[in-house]
Amino acid sequence: MHHSRQHRGQAPSRLSAVAILAVLTLRMALRERLARAMALMIALCWAATWFLASLLVSDETGPQAAMLGFLLRLGSVFLTIVTVTFSLTRDLQNRGLEMMLALPYPRGVIWLGKGVGFSLIASLLAILDVLALLPLAPPGQALLWGVAINAELWLMATLAMLLSLALRQAPLALTMTVALYLLGRSMHSLLLIARQSAEIAAEHWSAVVAQQLLTVISWLLPDLERFTVTDWLLHHGGSLTALAPILTETALYLALLIAVGHLELRRRAF
Amino acid sequence: MASLIAWRLVAAPHPASLEDYPRPPAPAALRLTTLGDPRAGALFWMLWLQTFDDQAGVTASFKKMDFAHLTAWLERILALDPGSEYPLLMATRVYGAVLDPGRQRLMIDFVGRAFRDAPERRWQWQALAAVQARHGLGDRQLALTLVEELEQRVPARQLPFWVRGLHVIILREGNEIEAAKRLMELMARDGGLTERQRQAVEMWRERLEELR
């Protein structure tokens, strides 16, 4: 590396290194036909919505947009998690990540570069989702929904990165990421069930402990039910103010996940 | 592949059997099935409920289905998305049109309860339930009760002309000429009527005078 520096001048700055790694990560994913997978996912969501809409008694576009939004969200989250998990676990297994870590940059720079690359993939998906929704939803509401799905996908991409690094095995990391996503998405319903169970069990200690435990878990997880609100597509009631808590929560959890990922990377011997 | 197709052709088809609406799960359990998206979940559950009568090898008649369970399903789905009008549309236009007075009454009661929860948003469904009670069920008294409740809970200016006209028609059909006349005087005094609507009110008043 020192040799190449003498011949080619200064090595890229840390910021440039992050950008180069990010672009490389995106290009690697695209080379593996990610674009086709994205197009197929959106086409399948459209076909399913078209079929379901034909069953509706009403011909309003709101319900169609809501169904398409629901399917696109699930499809996009799944595609993002799968892409990140398989890409990173393969890098870990074929020593691609080790080669990157041999570059004269702190491990944090490498980690951030990969993270930005996966976030670009997530943003690309979010943009395609918004474009797919435009024929059925008002542009303003579709755009709000797009910002929220982008935040949700960034969070899930970063979580998938961390779990892939920590667990190293794709099936295990994939299962854990999907489980945590479903838990984050269903936390309100689970809390409701726990509260009702405690009431039915006449505040029996075991039901109360279960409720308290679930409440503590809910503090640790992002409130994903507040993200990507279908109501905006269905009843068009979204406003810019709704984005403030979503973006704040995204920033907090991203900072936490990146920090934990960085610590794990520093701790790990390659 | 050929053996697979041959197997599917010779294999016995699903036995045709009729299943009734199951009891709906608890509200929180139903919410859990929506994966944190109760609005979209309400739509998917509504589509499932709507296609429930088309079962393998048999199309169920609504007259044989358990409408108490159906009503409970509609209530749970409406609770998932209180802003949705789809369960109310199905209750008034589809399930409420079944030729069975008991089942029609269940649907009208469901719409009435939903209306009382959010009168200003759901008044049109209460009005449709009144039409259903009058013409589907032939129960003029129930239709009158529904329309009166509608006018008590929703400001008059928010109601379109046809809803207030419906009240007049039901009163006239019951020979309650004086009550109908008082209502029309109120309508004329309230203002906010277009020229054509004022003419219609005048025409009704003349007809009522003739009837008297």
Side-chain angles (χ1 to χ4, degrees):
Chain A
M1 188 51 70
H2 179 69
H3 180 73
S4 74
R5 228 183 266 179
Q6 272 183 339
H7 281 279
R8 295 178 191 170
Q10 282 285 313
S13 69
R14 289 181 177 185
L15 200 64
S16 309
V18 168
I20 291 167
L21 271 168
V23 173
L24 273 177
T25 308
L26 178 66
R27 282 180 63 180
M28 277 285 279
L30 289 175
R31 197 179 301 160
E32 284 159 6
R33 297 178 180 171
L34 179 68
R36 278 191 206 179
M38 286 178 178
L40 183 68
M41 186 274 288
I42 289 173
L44 284 175
C45 290
W46 252 104
T49 305
W50 176 79
F51 168 70
L52 292 170
S54 70
L55 300 175
L56 286 169
V57 174
S58 139
D59 56 1
E60 285 177 44
T61 53
Q64 295 174 37
M67 290 192 291
L68 181 61
F70 178 87
L71 297 173
L72 285 173
R73 179 170 60 75
L74 283 189
S76 303
V77 166
F78 180 74
L79 204 54
T80 304
I81 293 175
V82 166
T83 305
V84 172
T85 306
F86 281 99
S87 168
L88 208 59
T89 48
R90 198 189 40 236
D91 273 353
L92 282 165
Q93 275 156 15
N94 68 13
R95 302 190 176 270
L97 193 65
E98 257 178 79
M99 282 170 65
M100 285 181 217
L101 291 175
L103 293 169
Y105 296 103
R107 288 186 169 187
V109 170
I110 310 294
W111 192 239
L112 208 60
K114 291 293 276 181
V116 173
F118 289 132
S119 302
L120 284 176
I121 292 171
S123 296
L124 187 63
L125 254 175
I127 291 169
L128 291 176
D129 287 346
V130 171
L131 290 177
L133 272 168
L134 276 181
L136 296 175
Q141 299 293 318
L143 211 59
L144 274 183
W145 187 91
V147 173
I149 187 83
N150 189 61
E152 192 167 333
L153 294 178
W154 277 5
L155 274 184
M156 293 323 294
T158 318
L159 179 68
M161 274 179 78
L162 174 63
L163 291 174
S164 301
L165 181 69
L167 302 171
R168 292 185 149 243
Q169 300 298 321
L172 192 60
L174 201 61
T175 310
M176 276 297 287
T177 315
V178 170
L180 280 173
Y181 176 70
L182 292 179
L183 193 63
R185 265 274 164 191
S186 308
M187 194 40 91
H188 281 277
S189 307
L190 289 171
L191 282 171
L192 206 62
I193 290 174
R195 200 178 311 136
Q196 285 171 357
S197 303
E199 279 169 16
I200 291 167
E203 304 294 327
H204 188 269
W205 71 267
S206 60
V208 172
V209 166
Q211 189 192 348
Q212 300 295 342
L213 193 68
L214 215 54
T215 308
V216 172
I217 294 173
S218 77
W219 293 340
L220 301 175
L221 290 171
D223 186 3
L224 287 178
E225 199 171 318
R226 228 166 36 182
F227 284 62
T228 327
V229 183
T230 299
D231 200 40
W232 302 341
L233 303 175
L234 188 59
H235 305 307
H236 309 157
S239 64
L240 273 176
T241 49
L243 287 181
I246 295 172
L247 296 180
T248 310
E249 204 161 319
T250 307
L252 289 174
Y253 276 95
L254 276 182
L256 178 73
L257 289 171
I258 291 169
V260 174
H262 184 213
L263 280 178
E264 175 70 14
L265 197 68
R266 282 181 63 174
R267 191 184 65 82
R268 195 171 278 273
F270 284 92
Chain B
M1 184 72 88
S3 60
L4 188 70
I5 294 169
W7 164 249
R8 294 303 290 249
L9 287 175
V10 298
H14 288 287
S17 64
L18 181 66
E19 267 184 67
D20 209 338
Y21 293 115
R23 190 187 295 275
L30 191 68
R31 199 177 190 282
L32 186 63
T33 65
T34 65
L35 300 179
D37 197 342
R39 304 284 186 269
L43 273 168
F44 290 120
W45 275 114
M46 211 46 236
L47 283 178
W48 169 80
L49 193 66
Q50 185 187 317
T51 50
F52 193 87
D53 52 309
D54 278 325
Q55 296 175 20
V58 60
T59 298
S61 159
F62 283 143
K63 282 186 182 176
K64 291 179 183 162
M65 304 293 273
D66 185 339
F67 265 43
H69 281 177
L70 174 67
T71 311
W73 271 107
L74 290 172
E75 266 168 345
R76 300 275 155 89
I77 294 171
L78 189 61
L80 283 179
D81 182 8
S84 168
E85 301 197 336
Y86 204 69
L88 297 162
L89 170 80
M90 290 299 288
T92 47
R93 293 281 170 84
V94 180
Y95 303 124
V98 64
L99 296 174
D100 178 280
R103 287 176 168 78
Q104 283 186 359
R105 278 182 201 281
L106 277 173
M107 286 302 121
I108 290 171
D109 287 350
F110 161 66
V111 173
R113 283 194 299 279
F115 164 74
R116 282 189 284 280
D117 285 343
E120 300 205 354
R121 212 173 54 227
R122 296 177 180 156
W123 59 261
Q124 65 271 48
W125 303 108
Q126 174 85 347
L128 279 173
V131 173
Q132 192 68 37
R134 174 63 197 90
H135 298 289
L137 210 54
D139 187 339
R140 199 193 67 84
Q141 195 51 50
L142 176 60
L144 188 60
T145 310
L146 292 172
V147 173
E148 280 173 351
E149 193 183 14
L150 175 60
E151 289 189 341
Q152 278 164 14
R153 288 173 187 262
V154 184
R157 282 179 181 277
Q158 231 173 291
L159 294 174
F161 186 65
W162 67 268
V163 173
R164 307 189 75 190
L166 182 68
H167 195 174
V168 174
I169 290 167
I170 296 172
L171 284 171
R172 198 194 67 184
E173 282 177 349
N175 241 1
E176 296 180 50
I177 308 295
E178 283 307 316
K181 273 186 71 181
R182 273 200 303 279
L183 184 64
M184 280 194 301
E185 276 160 20
L186 262 176
M187 283 168 76
R189 214 184 311 148
D190 275 356
L193 297 182
T194 63
E195 189 51 40
R196 276 186 72 181
Q197 287 169 347
R198 226 189 327 272
Q199 284 171 4
V201 169
E202 209 43 54
M203 191 182 75
W204 286 348
R205 278 167 77 169
E206 282 168 14
R207 286 198 183 163
L208 284 176
E209 283 298 338
E210 286 168 18
L211 282 172
R212 206 159 67 149

